[in-house]
Amino acid sequence: MANSREAQQARQNSQNVQAQQVGFQLLTNVAAYPLHLVRTLIQVGYEPLPSTVGRTWFGMGTKAYFLPNGFTYMVHIRSTDGVTGVYRGLLAYLIRGGIIQVTSSQLSQSLRIPQKITVKSAQQMDVEYVSHLAQSVFVRAVSITVAHPFHVVNVRMIAYYVGRESAYAGFLGTVRAIYSTEGLSGFFSGVVPLVIGEVLGLAAYEILFRGIVVAANWGGKVEEHDELDMYGRTLVNYLVRIFTYPFFLSSTLMIVDGSQMAAEMAVPAEAAGHWWSCIRALYSSGENMRGNALFSRIDKHKMWTMGTPV
C-alpha cells in the first residue's frame, strides 16, 4: 500500500513539473513572439524605417548605414498597429508549438527515445547513440511537417503588414485565403527547406558536439565537464545556425511565394518557385543571412562615401 501511494505521489509530482514546464514555455513564447514577428518581416524584405549613420565594431569602426534594430522595429509596429500589432499571428504560432510538442512527446514515448541524447564517452561511438540520433531526427521531421499548416498561417498573417491585404487580416480569413487560392498544398508551401534545415541542424549539432568531445579527449561522461559542455554546445549551436539559416529563410520566402501578397516581391526572380533556386539566388545576392541578426544591421544597399550614400 505504501509503495502504491509513493508511486502515485511520484506521478503527481511529475505531472506538476510537466505542467510548470509547459506554462513556463508558453510564457516564454508569448514574451519572445514580437521578435519572431520582426524577424519574419525582415526576412520578407519589409523595411518601413530608413537607415541611419553609425559606426561598426560597437562604435569604434568605420562609418556605415545601419537599419533599425529589432526593438526599434517593434516600437514602430506598436505605434502604427497598437500592442496587438506586435502579436499578430500569435494564435497560429502557439498552436504550431503545441502540436510540435505533443507530436514529439507521443512519438518519443512510442519509440522510447530519451529526452536527451547522451554522449557516453569520447572514444565510444556506440550503435545506441546513432540509433537515438536517427530516431530523434525522424521525430523532429514528422513533428515539423504535421504542424506546418499553422506555420504557413502565421507567416502569411505577419506578411500582411507589407501590403495590408484584407484577406490575411485575421486567423480564419487567412485559412480561407490560403485554401481558396492554393488548395491544401498551400498549407505545406515551404515545408521542404524547413524540414531539411531542422533535420540538418539537429544532426549537425549532435555530431559536431561529439566531435568536440573527441577532439578535447574528455574522459568519462561529458556531463562531468559542465563548463566545457556549456561553451562547447554554445559554439556548436552558433556554427549550426549559420549553416542552416538559409534553409529557414528560403522556407519563409516560399511560404509567401505564389500568395498574391505584396510580400511575394521579396522572393528572388530566379527562384522560379523552387526553394533550392531561392537559396542559390540569396547566396548570389549576399542576402542569405537576411533577418538572422536583429541588431547591428548594416544596410548593404548604401555605402558611406564622404558623407553621401551611394
Side-chain angles (χ1 to χ4, degrees), residues 137-155:
V137 166
F138 170 76
V139 169
R140 179 72 63 88
V142 172
S143 302
I144 294 297
T145 303
V146 170
H148 193 71
F150 291 96
H151 181 53
V152 174
V153 173
N154 173 252
V155 171

Side-chain angles (χ1 to χ4, degrees), residues 123-182:
Q123 291 77 25
Q124 185 181 11
M125 186 68 173
D126 53 71
V127 176
E128 183 181 3
Y129 174 83
V130 176
S131 176
H132 287 166
L133 177 57
Q135 290 175 330
S136 297
V137 166
F138 170 76
V139 169
R140 179 72 63 88
V142 172
S143 302
I144 294 297
T145 303
V146 170
H148 193 71
F150 291 96
H151 181 53
V152 174
V153 173
N154 173 252
V155 171
R156 295 282 181 92
M157 289 186 69
I158 293 175
Y160 156 87
Y161 281 117
V162 181
R164 302 280 176 174
E165 296 87 354
S166 58
Y168 293 95
F171 179 86
L172 294 179
T174 300
V175 173
R176 285 195 296 267
I178 295 172
Y179 183 75
S180 62
T181 58
E182 301 160 78

Side-chain angles (χ1 to χ4, degrees), residues 6 45 117 129 152 252 267:
E6 290 177 359
I117 299 176
Y129 174 83
V152 174
T252 298
V267 181

Side-chain angles (χ1 to χ4, degrees), residues 60-132:
M60 297 183 291
T62 58
K63 283 188 176 182
Y65 280 90
F66 288 85
L67 291 165
N69 61 49
F71 289 118
T72 303
Y73 203 128
M74 192 189 312
V75 170
H76 171 74
I77 295 294
R78 179 176 176 177
S79 67
T80 58
D81 291 75
V83 176
T84 58
V86 296
Y87 287 99
R88 171 174 294 278
L90 175 63
L91 178 60
Y93 181 80
L94 294 179
I95 293 175
R96 175 183 183 258
I99 292 175
I100 290 176
Q101 187 172 12
V102 171
T103 304
S104 298
S105 177
Q106 294 298 319
L107 285 176
S108 296
Q109 290 179 12
S110 300
L111 297 174
R112 297 180 179 179
I113 303 176
Q115 293 183 351
K116 181 180 180 181
I117 299 176
T118 303
V119 182
K120 293 184 176 179
S121 74
Q123 291 77 25
Q124 185 181 11
M125 186 68 173
D126 53 71
V127 176
E128 183 181 3
Y129 174 83
V130 176
S131 176
H132 287 166

